[in-house]
Amino acid sequence: MRAPKTGGVMMLKRFVRLTGAGLTVLALAACQSGPMPNPDRPDNQAESWNMRVVGFHNLQARSAYQPTIVEQNGRWIAYVGLHGGTRMNPQTNQLENNGTAILDVTDPREPKFLVHIPGERGEGEAGGGQMTRICSGKQLPKGDPSKFYMLRVFGDQAHEMWDVTVPEKPSRMNVIVGNLRSTHKSWWECDTGIAYLVSGDPGWRTARMTKIYDLSDPANPVFIRDFGLPGQQPDASGPVPVMLHGPISTGPKGNRVYFGYGTNTDGILQIVDRDKLINGPRQPTVESLLYPQVSRMEMPPMHGGHTTFPMLGVPIEEFQKNLLGKVRDFVVITDEAIQKECLEGRQMVWMVDVTTETKPFGVSSWTVPEKSGNFCSRGGRFGTHSSNENMTELFYRRLMFFAHFNAGVRVLDVRDPFNLKEVAYYIPAMNKNTVVLETPAGLAAKMPLTEVSNKLAIQTNNVEVDDRGYVYAVDRANTGMHILELTGPARQVAGLR
C-alpha cells in the first residue's frame, strides 16, 4: 500500500428542528479520520491501519448479521446470526436455510465451526435467523445455573429460546412468540431476564414495535406489555411513525432504555424510563405509551436512528477546570446505509449529549472520507451500519468499532466525544465466496443505478468485541468472519499489552 495521506472531514453545518418534544439539534463537528487507504488497491488485498487479522472463517459462505461472543465454561463461543438464503452445510451434506452459526473461537487463530441451526426460508431480512442474545443460567434470576440460553429470531416469524449449554448440541426449548410479520435487533437483560423483542405484531400499524417479556425463567416466558411510538398502536389513525430498529437497556441500575427508530431516514432517539415502562400502565393508549418517555429527539429526514449506544459518565478532559460539565452522558447513534452508489444521504456516526436528558443535542459526527477510497464507485453500500454493543471495560468510553460496509471496520477514539478521532481500520479482501448483493427490482427501477451497482464489494455488516479484546467483523456479501486485534497506538488507547 502506498504511503498514507492524512484525511479528514470538516462539517460545520447545524441542523435545527422544532418538534412536539421541543428543540432538536444535531451538530456536525470537525473530527479526524485516519490515513487514506489506497483506492487503487488490488481487490485481493486487504487494507489495514493499526489492526491485523488473527483468524478467519468463511461461515459456509452465508450472509452474516450480528455476532455475539460469550465465555462458556472456559471456552469462547461465537453465535452469528445470519440473513436469509440457502447454502450447503458440509457437516450434514444438506442444503440448509441460513439461520445461526455457532463457532468455538477459544483459539481466535483457528475458529472451529461447531454447528449450523437452520432458520426461516427466505432471502435477506425476510428469512434466516439474524439476531441472537446469550445469557447464562447463573446470571438469570430463575435460570438453571448449569445452563446457557440463546434467545434468537426465526426469520420474520418468531422469537425462540434455545438451550446452548453444549454449543455443539443446541436444542430448542420453546417459541416465545410467533405469527409475527417481522423481527429484528432485540435486547435481553441477563441480570433480570427482561427482554425487549423487536416484533411485527399483525395488530399494530407498524412493521416493527417492541414486545416486552420476562425471560428470567427461560422455560416459562411471561408477557409483560407491547410498546411503541404513539400512532403505531392498533387503534390509532393518521400518519404512522417510522418503525423501530432496536433498543439498548442499561438495566435496573441505569433505569433507562434507549430506543432507535428508522434506519436511513426519519431517525428517532427515544429515551425511556425503564421502571415506568415495565411497571406502568400497559394498555397501548397514547397516554400509556408516553408515560415512560423521558425525551425524544428527531433526526433530519435523510438520517436514521439505527443503533443507539449509551456511553455514560464520560470525563471530559477539556472541561476539568470548569465548575460544571466535567462529566457528561452521551448516546452514540449509528445510521444504516441502504442504497448502493451513495444514492441517499451520507449515513454516519452521531454523538448526542444527553447529560440533560430532556434536552438531547448533537455535539459531533464522523464519517469515512469518500475520496479516501473512491467508495461510492467501489460497489455495494458505503456508509455506516452498526457499532459494537458489548460494553466491556476494555473499550467502554475509550474506543468504539463501526461496521462501514465497503469501507470495512473503523475504530474511533471516543474519549473526547466532541472531537472524534479515527485510530484504526481494517478493510477485508474479497474472496471466492463474495457475491454482489441484489437490489430489489422494485427499488432498482426507481434509482439511477449504473454498472457500479453490479460490482463485487466487501460489505462489512456488523462488528462486535469480546472481553479479551478481539474484534469480530462479519460480511453481508458472504465473505465470512474476520477476527481482528488492534496494534500500535490504537492498542495503547485500550490499555492492551
Side-chain angles (χ1 to χ4, degrees):
M1 187 166 67
R2 68 189 180 191
K5 302 176 182 178
T6 300
V9 176
M10 178 73 72
M11 300 183 189
L12 299 177
K13 187 175 180 180
R14 184 178 296 267
F15 291 105
V16 181
R17 292 189 64 191
L18 283 173
T19 71
L23 183 65
T24 295
V25 181
L26 281 180
L28 292 84
C31 297
Q32 292 180 276
S33 295
M36 293 185 178
N38 180 2
D40 302 316
R41 70 180 177 93
D43 287 335
N44 63 351
Q45 291 183 11
E47 298 171 81
S48 64
W49 174 55
N50 290 337
M51 291 191 91
R52 65 185 174 202
V53 173
V54 177
F56 171 80
H57 198 282
N58 65 13
L59 300 180
Q60 298 182 347
R62 300 179 190 272
S63 177
Y65 184 65
Q66 178 68 31
T68 305
I69 303 90
V70 297
E71 184 180 11
Q72 290 187 216
N73 300 322
R75 302 168 69 190
W76 290 86
I77 307 298
Y79 296 85
V80 183
L82 304 171
H83 286 302
T86 303
R87 290 291 184 273
M88 177 65 68
N89 183 349
Q91 294 179 330
T92 63
N93 291 319
Q94 299 289 325
L95 285 172
E96 294 177 355
N97 297 327
N98 291 356
T100 307
I102 304 179
L103 298 90
D104 187 325
V105 293
T106 306
D107 180 356
R109 298 166 298 180
E110 295 290 339
K112 299 176 182 177
F113 198 99
L114 300 179
V115 69
H116 173 250
I117 308 172
E120 182 187 8
R121 181 179 181 180
E123 297 296 324
E125 294 185 2
Q130 59 193 326
M131 194 62 217
T132 68
R133 298 292 186 191
I134 312 297
C135 289
S136 75
K138 291 180 180 179
Q139 296 171 293
L140 292 166
K142 300 177 183 177
D144 182 333
S146 68
K147 293 185 178 295
F148 282 80
Y149 302 96
M150 176 176 70
L151 169 66
R152 82 153 191 168
V153 302
F154 182 75
D156 273 346
Q157 292 186 20
H159 297 277
E160 303 175 334
M161 183 63 67
W162 287 69
D163 182 336
V164 291
T165 306
V166 180
E168 295 88 342
K169 298 180 179 180
S171 61
R172 192 176 75 173
M173 299 172 60
N174 55 59
V175 176
I176 300 162
V177 57
N179 299 317
L180 302 174
R181 56 192 175 111
S182 184
T183 64
H184 210 54
K185 206 167 193 180
S186 300
W187 189 266
W188 191 14
E189 299 173 2
C190 292
D191 55 345
T192 68
I194 300 299
Y196 309 83
L197 307 182
V198 179
S199 306
D201 187 311
W204 279 59
R205 304 176 70 222
T206 180
R208 292 177 186 158
M209 39 70 76
T210 305
K211 287 185 172 293
I212 302 176
Y213 275 78
D214 180 350
L215 302 180
S216 59
D217 179 358
N220 296 288
V222 178
F223 175 71
I224 297 178
R225 67 170 297 179
D226 288 334
F227 183 73
L229 296 174
Q232 295 178 335
Q233 73 272 26
D235 61 352
S237 60
V240 181
V242 66
M243 69 180 180
L244 174 69
H245 183 268
I248 296 180
S249 171
T250 61
K253 184 176 181 180
N255 193 36
R256 289 294 182 266
V257 184
Y258 300 89
F259 289 89
Y261 297 83
T263 51
N264 68 328
T265 60
D266 301 309
I268 295 174
L269 163 65
Q270 185 187 36
I271 304 177
V272 169
D273 183 303
R274 177 189 176 277
D275 182 69
K276 290 182 178 180
L277 175 65
I278 294 171
N279 299 309
R282 298 180 179 181
Q283 284 298 113
T285 63
V286 172
E287 292 76 17
S288 68
L289 296 177
L290 287 176
Y291 174 70
Q293 178 175 290
V294 177
S295 64
R296 165 176 165 171
M297 187 189 82
E298 296 190 7
M299 301 178 68
M302 68 178 183
H303 297 289
H306 183 281
T307 305
T308 49
F309 181 87
M311 193 173 70
L312 311 176
V314 182
I316 308 300
E317 183 178 356
E318 178 62 29
F319 298 164
Q320 291 310 298
K321 294 182 180 180
N322 286 77
L323 177 63
L324 304 175
K326 298 178 182 180
V327 178
R328 306 195 67 81
D329 297 332
F330 299 89
V331 172
V332 186
I333 300 179
T334 308
D335 310 333
E336 177 182 2
I338 297 290
Q339 309 298 347
K340 297 179 180 179
E341 301 187 56
C342 300
L343 294 174
E344 60 186 334
R346 177 66 58 81
Q347 307 304 320
M348 61 182 83
V349 178
W350 307 83
M351 191 67 65
V352 177
D353 189 315
V354 295
T355 308
T356 302
E357 290 183 300
T358 56
K359 297 181 179 180
F361 66 100
V363 297
S364 64
S365 68
W366 185 87
T367 183
V368 173
E370 189 280 330
K371 71 170 73 174
S372 69
N374 294 333
F375 290 109
C376 288
S377 58
R378 276 200 185 188
R381 306 183 193 185
F382 168 60
T384 52
H385 181 203
S386 60
S387 70
N388 65 287
E389 295 181 355
N390 182 0
M391 300 181 192
T392 174
E393 293 181 359
L394 281 175
F395 299 127
Y396 192 64
R397 303 187 194 96
R398 299 179 183 182
L399 295 173
M400 284 193 67
F401 302 78
F402 298 90
H404 216 288
F405 286 118
N406 67 4
V409 177
R410 316 302 288 212
V411 186
L412 298 188
D413 182 339
V414 295
R415 290 175 296 179
D416 180 0
F418 294 87
N419 295 282
L420 302 174
K421 180 181 179 182
E422 185 174 37
V423 294
Y425 62 71
Y426 186 86
I427 307 175
M430 290 182 283
N431 58 37
K432 64 180 181 180
N433 294 324
T434 307
V435 299
V436 175
L437 296 176
E438 293 185 10
T439 302
L443 181 61
K446 302 176 183 178
M447 306 295 290
L449 296 171
T450 71
E451 67 279 358
V452 170
S453 67
N454 297 317
K455 292 176 66 173
L456 287 171
I458 281 296
Q459 295 287 266
T460 299
N461 205 28
N462 287 70
V463 60
E464 189 54 286
V465 299
D466 70 19
D467 293 340
R468 301 175 295 177
Y470 292 111
V471 184
Y472 299 76
V474 298
D475 191 74
R476 196 182 190 106
N478 302 5
T479 306
M481 177 178 74
H482 291 79
I483 304 177
L484 311 168
E485 66 179 1
L486 297 170
T487 62
R491 193 170 182 85
Q492 295 171 11
V493 172
L496 295 168
R497 295 182 179 179

